[in-house]
Amino acid sequence: MADKKITALTSIGTATARADLLHLIDDVAGTPTNKKVTIGEYANALKAPVTHTDAVLAVTEALHGGRMVLLINVSADRIITLPTPIAGLTFRFASTGLTAADGHDYQFQISGGGTSLFYTGGLTFLDTDNANSVIFPDGNSNDFINIHLPQHYDITIVGVSATEYHVTGYVASATAPTFD
């Protein structure tokens, strides 16, 4: 077994279990070290939620990609800047700690913006005055999502290409979200 290349090993495929081991090389850019991790530990570590503080946020693939980002009650309007889309790059944003309508807005903008980067998809608007609707971007120039005075939200944003993010989820508020 010691003389086999990894590519020559038999695939375990769908029989993979969380207790199975993976071989990793840690600190590739510094002092590379061989280490092991179970598939369960690996999956949990890459999906652990990230709680953001009361500040603007520059979202990164390394820290936020594939994870839920918990956004707290904030003291002022906040801008969340997403990186340029990459196909498959996924972010999920959810509110935490809101006890009533937050007195401030969140704006999700695509870094670099302009008419060449845009959102598709839509958000379900759960109006706290009991009217519901779906809000859509125009699919070719909207690079901002505005969440106005949220009471709760859960939004998933997925890169479709190098110019497009697909958005889905819901926002509960007295004011409808907008795409600009």
Side-chain angles (χ1 to χ4, degrees), residues 46-68:
L46 292 179
K47 293 185 179 185
V50 176
T51 300
H52 184 63
T53 61
D54 185 3
V56 297
L57 172 62
V59 175
T60 66
E61 178 182 4
L63 179 59
H64 306 100
R67 296 180 176 198
M68 176 183 277

Side-chain angles (χ1 to χ4, degrees), residues 18 37-49 66-67:
R18 290 182 62 84
V37 65
T38 68
I39 288 176
E41 292 168 334
Y42 176 80
N44 293 345
L46 292 179
K47 293 185 179 185
R67 296 180 176 198

Side-chain angles (χ1 to χ4, degrees), residues 15-97:
T16 301
R18 290 182 62 84
D20 291 339
L21 292 175
L22 296 173
H23 171 250
L24 295 176
I25 301 171
D26 188 30
D27 196 16
V28 175
T31 306
T33 306
N34 289 312
K35 294 194 177 175
K36 69 177 182 177
V37 65
T38 68
I39 288 176
E41 292 168 334
Y42 176 80
N44 293 345
L46 292 179
K47 293 185 179 185
V50 176
T51 300
H52 184 63
T53 61
D54 185 3
V56 297
L57 172 62
V59 175
T60 66
E61 178 182 4
L63 179 59
H64 306 100
R67 296 180 176 198
M68 176 183 277
V69 180
L70 299 172
L71 300 172
I72 65 169
N73 192 13
V74 293
S75 61
D77 293 353
R78 296 293 180 225
I79 296 174
I80 309 299
T81 304
L82 301 171
T84 301
I86 299 171
L89 179 57
T90 303
F91 304 105
R92 183 175 172 200
F93 299 94
S95 59
T96 185

